Amino acid sequence: MMHRRQLLAALPGALALPALAAEPRVLIHVPQANLASLDPVWTTAVVTRNAAHLLFETLYGRDEALNPQPQMVEGHRVEDGARRWTMRLREGLRFHSGEPVLARDCVASLRRWMVRDPIGQTIAARLDALEAPDDRTLVWRLNKPFASLPYALAKTQPSPVIMPERVARTDPYKQVTEITGSGPFRWVAEEYVPGSRAIFARFDGYRPREEPASHAAGGYRVKLDRVEWRIIPDAATAANALINGEVDWVDQPLPDLLPRLRRARGVTVGALDQYGTFGALRPNHLHGPTANPAIRRAMMAAIDQVEVMTAVMGEDRSLYRAPVGYFLPGTPSASEAGMEAVRARRSPAEIRRMLSEAGYAGERILLMHPTDQTFYDAMSSVAAAAWRAVGLNIDDQAMDWGTVVQRRTSMEPLERGGWSIFPAGYPAAEYRDPVFASNLRGNGRGAWFGWPEDAEMEAMRDRWMDSTDEAELRRLDGAIQARAFETVPFIPLGQYLPPAAWRSSLKGLLKGPVPVFWNVEKG
């Protein structure tokens, strides 16, 4: 008698019976804002920077301690008194289109980035040539040494990402229309729903480095099939979705919701970005009252950083540092120079006297107030109230962040659609020294929105880059900060450290300034 197992084995095609398909490993993430642009060179928007980390690669990546490590390159050789750098691309790099990544793609991409990025502009000023003598070799020929080149090529905002040459030829002041990178995830354009969802699928052609991952350095080993970003503008709705297991990870939950999330079963709350963000108010240095440095100093004197940070992050002092100066606390460049400008609290009468001596006569100051960004909304509300209390004529215009991003590009005066001041968040990790603290720059219309012009600041920054004497560097750090408190390129508001929240079943989340999705496993 033939047993049932033998009978099945004897049937034609029995060995071809289909196996049950494994469920795709999908991670659902709630970013801190709507993803409106995917070009990390065209915009400094944080959400675009975060998306770029999935889709693109850079020649170098920063590890958890912010040290630059080779990423797309095998390494580099420095010659001719540090004026010639030779970099060799590692094997196996491919774009999502299937094309190999070539050195000429890197040249075109980096030249586009250098137009928009303040550090890129610094490199360009010291660059005689950037060449691709063969498909895998890049040669930088500098007229002055720039020791921070690997650190610059690992920066994240704007990001020196590598695109195909045909895409990188796009005008730097226009957005690219083709999203093709060589990163561990590819863009699923056909499933993109603006304001609702964005999809990133694992790029099967990606070959990670051999080293263990440390934030944006090492091997980007993808353990997910897809990452889905859900745009949930309402913070309470996002928190409820996380508690109910409908989403896996919320990038920046509202501080008021943290106690509830910490109590929720199956939810972990923790600090992934240990450096956080520098809150700031960026004045217009071209037009109106904010073009007067004495008025800017009075506006800064009216701001209580602790009050602002409490409005942003709540009463938990572990979530912010204030008052702060112009460099990241705890780094060699941080100093006490000029700190009385933000530590000493002045009376309203004193600030009114400062304004009178500055020649302020009640002129309108237009504050672009983004109400759809929780942190910026809080900064704007506290600042507007403080300024009105000392007699400033504040035109507090509520708008969404997208409108701020568009309008801040205008160099027109107020009566022709211009602006006076807006809130911003700068990656605190970049404010470790005067080279990378780009919004301290005084290069006029080549500077970031606001366009401060300060030849003395630029000269001190150049001396800092050229010096190799530690004592001289520390002296310049203090002089640069003292100068910033005098000219006020931006008003510092404090360093805030928003934690993330995720389902406890997620493993392998990496610490660093940007949320990354390699090394993450979903249980």
Side-chain angles (χ1 to χ4, degrees):
M1 180 182 292
M2 183 177 286
H3 292 288
R4 182 173 180 272
R5 184 176 298 172
Q6 293 171 312
L7 176 63
L8 286 172
L11 290 174
L15 295 179
L17 289 173
L20 290 175
E23 286 289 322
R25 297 164 297 175
V26 180
L27 185 149
I28 301 175
H29 176 77
V30 181
Q32 49 86 34
N34 180 36
L35 181 62
S37 171
L38 283 154
D39 187 343
V41 174
W42 179 80
T43 181
T44 57
V46 170
V47 70
T48 302
R49 173 202 71 177
N50 295 352
H53 261 59
L54 287 95
L55 300 169
F56 300 98
E57 279 194 290
T58 50
L59 298 185
Y60 293 79
R62 293 182 189 174
D63 61 21
E64 185 179 324
L66 301 182
N67 298 312
Q69 306 293 346
Q71 188 55 40
M72 295 182 77
V73 297
E74 294 175 345
H76 60 254
R77 185 174 70 252
V78 183
E79 302 167 296
D80 189 23
R83 289 189 293 270
R84 181 184 177 94
W85 294 66
T86 303
M87 300 172 182
R88 182 83 170 160
L89 294 176
R90 62 188 178 96
E91 292 184 350
L93 296 173
R94 292 202 166 272
F95 288 115
H96 302 153
S97 58
E99 309 159 273
V101 177
L102 303 177
R104 64 174 178 265
D105 299 307
C106 301
V107 169
S109 298
L110 294 168
R111 288 197 178 281
R112 181 172 186 262
W113 165 75
M114 283 189 281
V115 173
R116 295 301 304 268
D117 182 78
I119 301 303
Q121 293 165 6
T122 298
I123 296 170
R126 295 179 173 225
L127 186 65
D128 282 338
L130 174 56
E131 301 164 328
D134 61 50
D135 285 348
R136 289 181 54 205
T137 304
L138 281 168
V139 177
W140 302 76
R141 291 195 288 111
L142 305 173
N143 51 58
K144 293 179 75 174
F146 186 71
S148 300
L149 186 58
Y151 193 78
L153 297 178
K155 79 186 296 284
T156 58
Q157 203 172 351
S159 304
V161 298
I162 303 305
M163 305 175 176
E165 182 182 26
R166 65 176 183 279
V167 180
R169 285 177 180 158
T170 302
D171 183 335
Y173 291 93
K174 295 180 180 178
Q175 296 189 64
V176 298
T177 57
E178 178 187 337
I179 307 304
T180 301
S182 62
F185 292 86
R186 58 181 177 81
W187 176 240
V188 186
E190 62 273 17
E191 295 188 49
Y192 174 52
V193 181
S196 177
R197 71 175 186 179
I199 306 296
F200 309 86
R202 186 184 65 227
F203 175 39
D204 292 330
Y206 183 78
R207 290 176 56 181
R209 296 183 67 90
E210 294 297 325
E211 306 95 322
S214 175
H215 190 240
Y220 299 174
R221 290 174 179 82
V222 175
K223 302 176 181 180
L224 304 162
D225 296 307
R226 284 161 61 96
V227 171
E228 178 177 334
W229 283 16
R230 295 261 182 92
I231 313 302
I232 305 179
D234 182 73
T237 301
N240 287 333
L242 182 65
I243 291 169
N244 296 331
E246 298 162 3
V247 303
D248 300 300
W249 181 356
V250 176
D251 184 23
Q252 291 185 358
L254 192 68
D256 290 350
L257 299 170
L258 293 176
R260 182 174 174 228
L261 289 169
R262 288 190 175 105
R263 292 192 302 267
R265 187 175 181 179
V267 172
T268 298
V269 175
L272 295 177
D273 179 2
Q274 65 270 52
Y275 302 101
T277 303
F278 264 13
L281 290 157
R282 181 70 162 188
N284 188 324
H285 293 246
L286 298 180
H287 301 294
T290 56
N292 181 337
I295 291 176
R296 296 198 297 270
R297 287 194 294 272
M299 293 176 75
M300 178 170 62
I303 299 293
D304 181 342
Q305 287 191 17
V306 173
E307 183 183 1
V308 175
M309 287 294 100
T310 302
V312 170
M313 296 305 301
E315 299 291 340
D316 187 347
R317 291 297 299 260
S318 70
L319 298 180
Y320 68 84
R321 296 190 181 103
V324 300
Y326 283 91
F327 295 110
L328 182 63
T331 59
S333 290
S335 76
E336 287 297 305
M339 285 295 290
E340 64 276 4
V342 290
R343 286 213 175 106
R345 302 303 315 134
R346 296 175 182 265
S347 70
E350 288 178 290
I351 298 169
R352 288 192 189 98
R353 187 161 55 250
M354 292 174 68
L355 289 168
S356 175
E357 291 171 356
Y360 180 68
E363 297 91 343
R364 182 168 65 110
I365 295 174
L366 192 155
L367 168 65
M368 294 196 292
H369 182 155
T371 55
D372 62 337
Q373 295 278 306
T374 302
F375 300 143
Y376 296 167
D377 183 24
M379 293 175 197
S380 301
S381 296
V382 174
W387 290 333
R388 285 187 175 127
V390 297
L392 287 163
N393 177 14
I394 300 299
D395 181 3
D396 185 358
Q397 293 196 9
M399 59 189 72
D400 60 42
W401 179 243
T403 301
V404 175
V405 169
Q406 293 294 329
R407 190 169 175 180
R408 69 187 182 183
T409 63
S410 173
M411 293 185 178
E412 295 292 335
L414 267 63
E415 61 270 18
R416 294 209 294 269
W419 54 274
S420 299
I421 197 162
F422 69 91
Y426 306 147
E430 301 293 354
Y431 283 72
R432 302 201 311 172
D433 65 48
V435 179
F436 288 86
S438 57
N439 289 316
L440 285 172
R441 293 208 61 181
N443 55 328
R445 300 203 173 207
W448 196 61
F449 312 110
W451 311 285
E453 186 165 356
D454 186 348
E456 184 177 333
M457 182 70 85
E458 288 293 288
M460 287 192 290
R461 181 175 180 268
D462 285 342
R463 289 201 297 274
W464 198 100
M465 285 190 288
D466 293 335
S467 178
T468 57
D469 179 77
E470 200 67 26
E472 174 66 2
L473 292 174
R474 300 294 78 82
R475 188 194 69 77
L476 285 167
D477 288 332
I480 287 170
Q481 177 158 285
R483 179 69 177 173
F485 277 124
E486 181 183 346
T487 62
V488 195
F490 62 87
I491 298 173
L493 299 179
Q495 178 191 8
Y496 56 101
L497 304 149
W502 60 90
R503 296 297 301 178
S504 302
S505 55
L506 292 187
K507 306 298 179 187
L509 277 70
L510 297 171
K511 288 189 175 183
V514 182
V516 296
F517 295 84
W518 47 84
N519 204 59
V520 179
E521 295 182 78
K522 184 175 178 181

